[in-house]
Each structure stands twice: as structure tokens, then as C-alpha cells.
Amino acid sequence: MMNGIQQTVTHSLDMNEQTLRDYFSKTPDLIYCHLFIGEPKRRALLIYLNTLVDKNSINNNIINPLLFETKQIHTIADIQLPIGSKSYTTKWEHVFQRVFQGETALFLDGDDHVLLLDTQGWPQRAIAEPQIESSLKGSHQGFIETCEKNIALIRRYLPHQQLKIEETTVGRRGHTPVVLLYLEDIAHPEVLQELKDRIEQIDVDTIVNTGELMQHIEDNPFSPFPQFLLTERPDAAVSNLLQGRIVIVVDRSPSVMIGPMTFITFFQTVDDYSTRWMIASFLRLLRLLAFFMAIFLPSAYIAALSFHYEIIPLNLLLTVGESRERVPLPPLLEAVLMELAIEMLREAGLRLPAPIGQTVGIVGGVVIGQAAVEAGIVSNIMVVIVSLTAIASFIIPNPDMSESIRLLRFPMMIAASLFGLVGMVIGFMLIIGHLISLESLGTPAGSPFAPARLRDWKDTLLRFPLWMMRTRPLSARPTQLTRQKKFRK
């Protein structure tokens, strides 16, 4: 028995209908459609959730053929309907789960089998350009909340037999479909099995989005750095598939998850491979510079004013002194106050409608900064430092990495206020040590620098010409290293 309901379907249509009504109590969108079909006439029952189905498909491909085209039938297997996918079951658990997923169940009096028909048609939005990961030269199509559409977008890029798809479900209540995509001849079997094992161990009510799944399967949940890449771009997902990584698609989520990843991959974009290699290399170095500025610029300001003012050129020191003449706060409180103001403006801009959010971000920053300087709360130099830091954090292409950098900024400022440059060095060493020890699905996040893999350096801080990158990165642990043949001297 399952919650007072027997596990298998019976031959009696009346008993089956009563079981359905007991289980689906207080479910007004569940439709019961009674039919008389075949010769001689036999009673049949069609049930579906009105909010999750395609009503035209039910009327044209199920009800009309059943009433006007179905002849003599002995069992439910004799019923032939012009519909794409169908299956049979005798277990109530399968019936309930499929109905909640938008399928239609057909019961026939005198038969203990149920015909499940694919009639899914829930509301969904059209494919549009990604809102977060914009691209100048890449595709302008982004993932949406429907798993099948997301898989179709990937298949358009990789119409190949080696692209394998494995599906499972997560959650006792939600039964969220989770799909793994990988290239069978490239992806490492051990990495794939490790990922499967971690997903199977998840025991929750449901998974609402990809971010929740990532937190359940990441190697180090206490690390501030992301260990999986979340992307809304099909071309980015396919690029990682070709390197030997695995793509995880979660139904009802507009982004997919990719692993295993390394630290340096969060600073790379699809546009890097669409532009000249010199331009792409310059932009990557710019992002790396932005990484250090976003973390260390406020702390360097605090350390220089609190402990090491002798390293500041005399003319600049006089300018800073004049700027701070009316400021009553120590450098740490001054910096923390402005950083918190910037973070609040950023959050306010995200929560408000787009036109208003942009106005609040720009006008609010200008007004608050100018008012704070005129009131003598902060100095002009501090406003410049905070503005440069905010701009540097915007340059980081991955939102998760950008948020991690914004968080690390505050402990670095505290360390600089306590120990000066020594505190900054200690903080930097702790970050490097943590990155070296961090793993993603058993793959070192510090690769290809720690451990050193010189072959992979062609696509890290600098991006060499594409014709020189003939092998896949070892950090992805591919089973097939060669991805292109040498065609230039």
C-alpha cells in the first residue's frame, strides 16, 4: 500500500477512478474525461492536468481518434493513436508521477494497464539572448527553463553520435529531471561516475534551480570560490563539451552547470576564441589585473595610510593629506562605509526594474559620493578607490567569481588595517594556498599552474593562435587529447 492506496492498477475502472479521486483530492485542474470507445463500446477514462498539457494535442490526437477511428479492441495495447511518445504501466506511482509531468493517462475498463501519452504543453518563454552573459561575436541564443529545448540547442552545435545523454531525477516530491550530457569518446569515465554518484546521494524535497544542485555536489562547500561553471550560453556549453567536460541540465532552470572546472576558466569567455589572439590575450590579462584590483586596491590604500605612508610619493601624500583633512574616520571605516554603500546600490539596481535600476545605480553613486565628500565623511581619494574597485569587479566575466571577489575584499581590508602590507601578503598566501588545495570533481582547481602542465598554458593567461592549440586541456581529464591536426608550419 502507498499512503493507503494500493500499488498496482486494477481491472475495475470504477475502482481506478476512486483511487485517482482519493489521491488527487483538492486538485481542481485535474480533468476526468469519460469515453465510450471501440466496437462493442467499452468504457474508458482519460485524465490529465489541464494546466500542464497541450489541449489541441489531446483533442486532435487522442479524443477524436478514440471516438471515431478506434474499432474492435481487446486490450489497451490495441489502441493506436497518432501521438509521438507513449508507454504502458501497471503501477500507480508511475501514473501519478507522469500526470504531474504533463502526460495524459488512459484507463480501459477490464484492463489493468494504463496508457501514458506525451501531451506536455506547459507555459514557457521563447528562446532569447542571455541577460547576464552578453556577447559581441557569439550566438545570441540562450537557454530557457525547458530541459528539452536546452538539449536541442546543444544538439544543434553537436549533431554527433558520441554526444550521450543520461537522465535521472532528484527530489522526493518535485522529481526534478537532471540530464547529463557528455562526449563518450572524450569525457573521462571516472569523472562521469563520480558526478553520477554525487547526484544519486542527494536526498531533498526537490531541486528548484541549478544553483541548488551545485551546492549539493561541490567538493568544498566552505570555499568562497565556485567549483562549477554556470552558463546561459549554448556555445559556451558546447565548447566545454569538446574539451572533455560534462554539462548538467536541470529542468526549469535557465542555466546549465559544467564541470570539472579550474580557477583560470572563470576568466575566459566565448568571445576570446572569436577575436584575434593578441586582442584575446590582452583582455585576459586585463581581467587578471581587475581580479587583483578588486581584492587588493582598498586594502592597499588602508595599509599605505595606516602603516606605510613613506612609500607614497611626497606630492601624492600631500594631496591625500589635504583630501583627508576633514575626514574623522580611520581609513578602515572609511573604506568599509563606501564599499557597503556601493554593494547596497548594486543590490538595489538588481532588484528594481531595469530602467529604474540603472538610474539608481548611476545617480545614486554620484549623489552619495559627492554628498559624502562634501560632508567630510570620506575623502576624494576614497571615492576614486571605491569606483575603480567596483569597475574592476564588473570586468570579471563570471558572476559567481565576481561575487566571491567582492566578498574577499572585506577580510583583506581588515588584515591590511591590522598588519599593513604584511597582512595583505598573508591574505594573498592564504588565497593561493586555498586555490591550490581546491578541487572540482577531483580535478585540481589550480591547474595548469599547480600542478604545472606547460602544455595547457597556451590557453590560460594568454590565448595562443587556435592552430597552435592542437590538444585538449589536461585539466578537463579528456581520454582523447588531440582535437585538431597540425595544418601550419
Side-chain angles (χ1 to χ4, degrees), residues 311-326:
I311 67 175
I312 305 176
L314 181 59
N315 293 334
L316 179 59
L317 183 61
L318 293 175
T319 303
V320 173
E322 293 176 0
S323 175
R324 287 188 49 80
E325 183 179 6
R326 298 175 53 232

Side-chain angles (χ1 to χ4, degrees), residues 251-265:
D251 196 24
R252 303 185 289 272
S253 179
S255 60
V256 303
M257 184 169 63
I258 304 172
M261 304 302 295
T262 61
F263 175 76
I264 198 65
T265 53

Side-chain angles (χ1 to χ4, degrees), residues 88-322:
Y88 300 92
T89 186
T90 59
K91 296 183 177 180
W92 280 115
E93 181 181 1
H94 294 165
V95 174
F96 300 148
Q97 183 176 347
R98 296 294 186 86
V99 169
F100 277 124
Q101 292 176 355
E103 296 191 11
T104 298
L106 176 63
F107 296 80
L108 185 65
D109 192 22
D111 199 317
D112 61 350
H113 285 74
V114 181
L115 177 58
L116 300 171
L117 304 164
D118 184 9
T119 55
Q120 296 172 344
W122 50 74
Q124 55 183 301
R125 65 184 176 95
I127 295 174
E129 185 172 0
Q131 297 296 318
I132 300 177
E133 301 173 83
S134 58
S135 174
L136 296 177
K137 296 185 177 181
S139 169
H140 294 280
Q141 290 182 329
F143 291 121
I144 60 172
E145 291 77 9
T146 305
C147 183
E148 291 80 5
K149 294 288 183 67
N150 294 340
I151 295 175
L153 289 173
I154 294 176
R155 277 203 178 276
R156 286 195 62 197
Y157 284 92
L158 277 178
H160 197 274
Q161 62 166 351
Q162 291 296 335
L163 178 62
K164 304 302 180 181
I165 301 175
E166 297 188 24
E167 183 175 351
T168 184
T169 58
V170 176
R172 298 184 301 269
R173 296 178 181 272
H175 302 289
T176 305
V178 176
V179 181
L180 305 182
L181 292 90
Y182 60 93
L183 290 171
E184 190 175 31
D185 58 339
I186 299 178
H188 200 289
E190 293 182 3
V191 176
L192 179 62
Q193 188 59 46
E194 175 67 20
L195 182 58
K196 290 180 183 178
D197 293 341
R198 294 187 187 185
I199 294 177
E200 290 175 358
Q201 292 173 6
I202 299 175
D203 186 14
V204 294
D205 284 340
T206 188
I207 293 292
V208 177
N209 53 49
T210 311
E212 289 188 11
L213 179 66
M214 178 179 66
Q215 296 178 61
H216 283 288
I217 65 175
E218 60 188 359
D219 293 65
N220 188 349
F222 298 102
S223 173
F225 296 106
Q227 295 143 57
F228 290 89
L229 176 67
L230 298 183
T231 181
E232 296 179 335
R233 302 191 60 84
D235 48 2
V238 171
S239 176
N240 282 279
L241 280 173
L242 292 170
Q243 293 180 8
R245 297 186 172 93
I246 303 169
V247 172
I248 303 100
V249 181
V250 179
D251 196 24
R252 303 185 289 272
S253 179
S255 60
V256 303
M257 184 169 63
I258 304 172
M261 304 302 295
T262 61
F263 175 76
I264 198 65
T265 53
F266 290 95
F267 296 85
Q268 301 171 355
T269 66
V270 174
D271 282 343
D272 291 349
Y273 304 95
S274 303
T275 58
R276 302 285 298 171
W277 69 272
M278 290 177 287
I279 304 299
S281 300
F282 169 75
L283 293 176
R284 288 189 179 182
L285 292 175
L286 187 65
R287 294 174 199 138
L288 186 65
L289 175 63
F291 167 76
F292 286 105
M293 287 181 60
I295 294 181
F296 297 108
L297 188 57
S299 56
Y301 171 81
I302 295 171
L305 289 186
S306 302
F307 293 92
H308 312 286
Y309 53 85
E310 68 276 1
I311 67 175
I312 305 176
L314 181 59
N315 293 334
L316 179 59
L317 183 61
L318 293 175
T319 303
V320 173
E322 293 176 0

Side-chain angles (χ1 to χ4, degrees), residues 6 10-20 22 92:
Q6 55 187 348
T10 66
H11 290 78
S12 172
L13 185 63
D14 295 329
M15 292 181 62
N16 291 336
E17 182 177 355
Q18 186 59 47
T19 300
L20 290 169
D22 292 341
W92 280 115

